[in-house]
Structure formats: structure tokens, C-alpha cells
Amino acid sequence: MSWAVRPGSQEEQVGRLILAGVIVVFLPQLPLGNFLIYPFTILTTWFHEMGHGLTAILMGHEFELLKIYPDGSGVAQPYHEGPESPIASAFISAGGPLGPTMIGSILILASSKQQYWRPTLIVLAACIGLSTVIWVRSTTGVIVLPMIAVALAAAAWKGKDWLVRFALQFLGILAAMSMFRDWDYLFSESAVIDGQIMLSDTGAIANALLLPYWFWAMAIILLSGLMVGASLKYALAEDDDLNDWRR
């Protein structure tokens, strides 16, 4: 009986996803781990704040600017003339915590088919670069985000297939699990950002709609879990179907 894992098999796919999850969870605990993961902390903040900004655009608002601070916190500043609809306000607030999960799910899905690996990394790098020029207005963001964009573009251009696929899986898991990093924030009515006390995202949703902030935190976590679970199920099923066809 052979216990070797076949290249490209579902077992390999599961193993890579588990490895990506282990790195995301345990890397900050290692010596210099926080330093190594710092660019990815800034990236998850970018996911979050872009979620706010793009949702604002969908709600008919303007997206004025995005700031990312050295401690990894950030703020997106939408603009809208006249009274704001409570529904629009709630959607914009929810777009932040759901943004990383949506991006993570897309990256996990893209990792299931080889023809999407490199184009997905290139598109992500381009989005990071363009958003930095258009919206980012903070020193940390202007320095770190272009470095990430260049690294992703280089990986897509020169990286071996296994590295490109793992990059997608790692970033997907990182984005999807970022809600655990923000657990306290989700279950707080307010937070200190750049020295100022502001409503948290769930606090802003509660302020716009009925029900308390902790209810909306639970709803966001449930929806995030469903999105990630569905993307993993699809990606692994696609991978298994492909291997069945090859056999």
C-alpha cells in the first residue's frame, strides 16, 4: 500500500489549504513572526477598507480616500450629499468586515483551476496598485501596498505553478480568517482608530438599523462562514472532478 500523495490530487489540495491556514494562525506566534506577516496585515486592512469604499460606490456615494495606519488599522472615507439612507449606511458598514471574506472566497475558488492562477494574481496586483494611486492617502499604505502589488505581479510572471497556486490559497485563507483577527472589533460597539473613538462597523449597523451590535457581529460571522465553506467545497469538488477525469 502506498501512502504517497499524488501531485494535483484532492489530498494535495487539502494539504496545501491546511498548510496555508497553519501559517496564517501560527506565524505571528514565532520570533519575528509579526514582522514577517506585517505586509499581509496591511493587505487584509486594504481588503476591509476597500470593502467599505466599493460598497459606498454601489450605494451611490463617492469614495474619497483610504488611510492605513502603521498599527494595521485603517479607515475609508465615503462622501454623500444630503441625508443618508439607514439601509445604505448599514450596507457600507457591513462591506468592511465582509470584504476580506469575499476576496478570500474568490481567491480560493480561483486556486481550483490552473487557467485562473496567474491572471487572478495579476488582477489583484493591478487592483492594489490602482487603488493606491486613486484612493490611498497614508504613508503606510503608499509604501507597503505597492510593494505587495509588485511581489504578486512578480510571482504571477516568474513563479512556478506550485508557488502561484499556494500564493492564491495562502492569501485566500489569510483574507477569510482575518475576521478572527478582528473578533474583538466585531463584538465591540466602538473602537479607537488613529487616536479617535469611533463606532465599530457593527456599532454603525446597529445605529442605522434595529437590533444590537452583537447580533450583527454574529450575522456577519455566519455569512462569512457560509461563503468560505461554499468556496472550499466548490474548489475541492472541482479539483476532485478534474483528477477523476485525468484517471
Side-chain angles (χ1 to χ4, degrees):
M1 179 181 293
S2 173
W3 294 97
V5 175
R6 289 176 291 104
S9 67
Q10 187 182 41
E11 291 84 359
E12 182 188 58
Q13 170 81 330
V14 172
R16 289 183 184 276
L17 288 169
I18 291 174
L19 177 61
V22 168
I23 292 174
V24 167
V25 171
F26 290 104
L27 185 58
Q29 315 306 322
L30 299 176
L32 299 179
N34 283 323
F35 175 78
L36 293 174
I37 208 169
Y38 183 73
F40 303 108
T41 299
I42 299 302
L43 182 60
T44 57
T45 301
W46 178 81
F47 288 148
H48 183 108
E49 301 307 334
M50 285 297 293
H52 285 308
L54 295 179
T55 305
I57 292 174
L58 290 175
M59 293 292 105
H61 295 199
E62 292 184 21
F63 181 13
E64 288 197 329
L65 58 86
L66 185 161
K67 292 184 178 181
I68 299 176
Y69 302 108
D71 64 356
S73 63
V75 62
Q77 186 173 318
Y79 174 76
H80 179 65
E81 292 186 356
E84 184 173 59
S85 161
I87 298 295
S89 177
F91 270 105
I92 293 170
S93 298
L98 289 175
T101 305
M102 294 177 66
I103 294 296
S105 298
I106 291 170
L107 296 178
I108 291 170
L109 288 172
S111 74
S112 67
K113 292 189 176 182
Q114 186 172 2
Q115 64 264 39
Y116 297 148
W117 297 351
R118 295 178 192 274
T120 301
L121 278 187
I122 291 171
V123 168
L124 179 59
C127 288
I128 294 171
L130 285 173
S131 71
T132 302
V133 173
I134 297 172
W135 292 301
V136 176
R137 297 295 181 270
S138 63
T139 302
T140 300
V142 168
I143 292 174
V144 178
L145 289 174
M147 293 172 60
I148 295 173
V150 169
L152 293 178
W157 182 36
K158 290 290 189 178
K160 295 184 180 297
D161 285 346
W162 71 266
L163 177 62
V164 175
R165 188 181 200 186
F166 184 74
L168 284 175
Q169 293 170 334
F170 175 78
L171 293 175
I173 295 294
L174 178 79
M177 294 184 68
S178 66
M179 64 177 172
F180 293 106
R181 188 198 72 177
D182 297 333
W183 192 271
D184 291 341
Y185 176 71
L186 282 175
F187 282 95
S188 300
E189 190 170 9
S190 60
V192 177
I193 300 176
D194 194 32
Q196 299 182 26
I197 298 178
M198 302 180 181
L199 282 174
S200 67
D201 292 331
T202 50
I205 297 172
N207 188 57
L209 304 176
L210 299 175
L211 303 175
Y213 66 90
W214 54 262
F215 171 87
W216 297 110
M218 293 173 63
I220 287 171
I221 290 170
L222 176 60
L223 184 56
S224 296
L226 290 173
M227 283 193 290
V228 174
S231 67
L232 286 169
K233 181 178 179 181
Y234 178 84
L236 294 176
E238 285 293 303
D239 203 59
D240 196 39
D241 291 343
L242 179 59
N243 288 311
D244 288 341
W245 178 80
R246 284 173 176 169
R247 292 196 292 271

